[in-house]
Amino acid sequence: MKLPKTAHTSQPWRVHEITRDFDLEDVWALPTPGGPDDFPRLVRQFAAGDTSDNPSRAARALFAIRWKLGKLFGWDEPDSGLGTRVETLRDRLPADLRETPPGPAVESVPFKTVYLTDREWVAEIANQTVHGVMHLGWVQDGDGGYRGQMAVLVKPNGLLGKAYMAGIAPLRHLIVYPAMIRGIGQKWRAGMPQAR
């Protein structure tokens, strides 16, 4: 379920310290009910995710098209990414976060982990269009339990980045995120212990 931006901005997340120059695009509640110690499981699930196994054929097709366009136009070349076109957000971390392990490597998509705490995980991506941040948080659900929350923050790269973000906005909101959220819920439920 899409949430108001205040669901992210009102939390005392550490990510606020390093993303002041990013735009908060989206905030989503994740269908991942759990207890206070289940956040590592959500992070592992995300890190192992793959756009090619999205349950939506339309979302899989859109991701495939995006990767092909990136190759065709050179959007994803190494010199357009982290450490070349833009500095990694790890360089902005306060000392206490910089000295901790960043968290798991993302396996199948070009995100790099920035940091991991007991209730936050941040990964970033950069290419010719944007410098993007995915933030996962573990929040209380109001019923005594917990659930995941995902926020997407973006810094567009010039006019190309602004046009790209405007062009994909309807696809993100109507196809990609709803399918992704359903897939997250399905994987979460599949990994839950069975009642005896």
Side-chain angles (χ1 to χ4, degrees):
M1 164 182 21
K2 194 164 184 342
L3 297 172
K5 291 182 179 182
T6 55
H8 177 77
T9 59
S10 65
Q11 293 283 343
W13 303 125
R14 299 294 304 271
V15 72
H16 301 314
E17 300 171 42
I18 60 171
T19 57
R20 289 185 180 97
D21 53 339
F22 283 71
D23 299 325
L24 177 59
E25 291 289 324
D26 298 295
V27 184
W28 295 85
L30 302 178
T32 55
D37 301 324
D38 287 332
F39 185 57
R41 179 177 158 221
L42 179 61
V43 172
R44 285 190 305 273
Q45 180 178 318
F46 255 84
D50 187 344
T51 58
S52 67
D53 69 2
N54 191 298
S56 163
R57 191 175 330 169
R60 284 194 311 272
L62 288 171
F63 277 117
I65 290 167
R66 167 54 186 91
W67 301 134
K68 285 184 197 262
L69 288 174
K71 188 170 186 146
L72 178 67
F73 293 113
W75 292 342
D76 304 317
E77 295 296 320
D79 65 345
S80 67
L82 298 169
T84 52
R85 186 180 72 76
V86 298
E87 69 176 11
T88 174
L89 291 177
R90 278 203 60 84
D91 293 343
R92 296 183 182 187
L93 290 178
D96 65 314
L97 287 177
R98 198 175 318 118
E99 293 168 4
T100 63
V106 181
E107 295 176 11
S108 300
V109 291
F111 276 88
K112 300 287 183 205
T113 298
V114 178
Y115 72 85
L116 173 67
T117 70
D118 62 337
R119 53 184 233 117
E120 281 185 85
W121 180 55
V122 173
E124 66 181 327
I125 186 172
N127 53 45
Q128 285 293 345
T129 60
V130 298
H131 185 183
V133 174
M134 181 184 65
H135 177 271
L136 287 185
W138 198 240
V139 296
Q140 291 185 317
D141 64 9
D143 294 324
Y146 290 77
R147 64 162 172 76
Q149 182 171 293
M150 180 180 76
V152 176
L153 300 98
V154 174
K155 188 192 309 184
N157 184 20
L159 291 176
L160 172 64
K162 289 177 183 173
Y164 174 80
M165 290 304 295
I168 68 168
L171 300 172
R172 281 190 358 250
H173 294 123
L174 296 174
I175 299 171
V176 175
Y177 285 136
M180 187 168 94
I181 303 299
R182 281 193 308 275
I184 290 165
Q186 289 169 359
K187 284 184 179 178
W188 186 263
R189 287 186 302 276
M192 295 185 90
Q194 300 297 316
R196 295 179 188 226

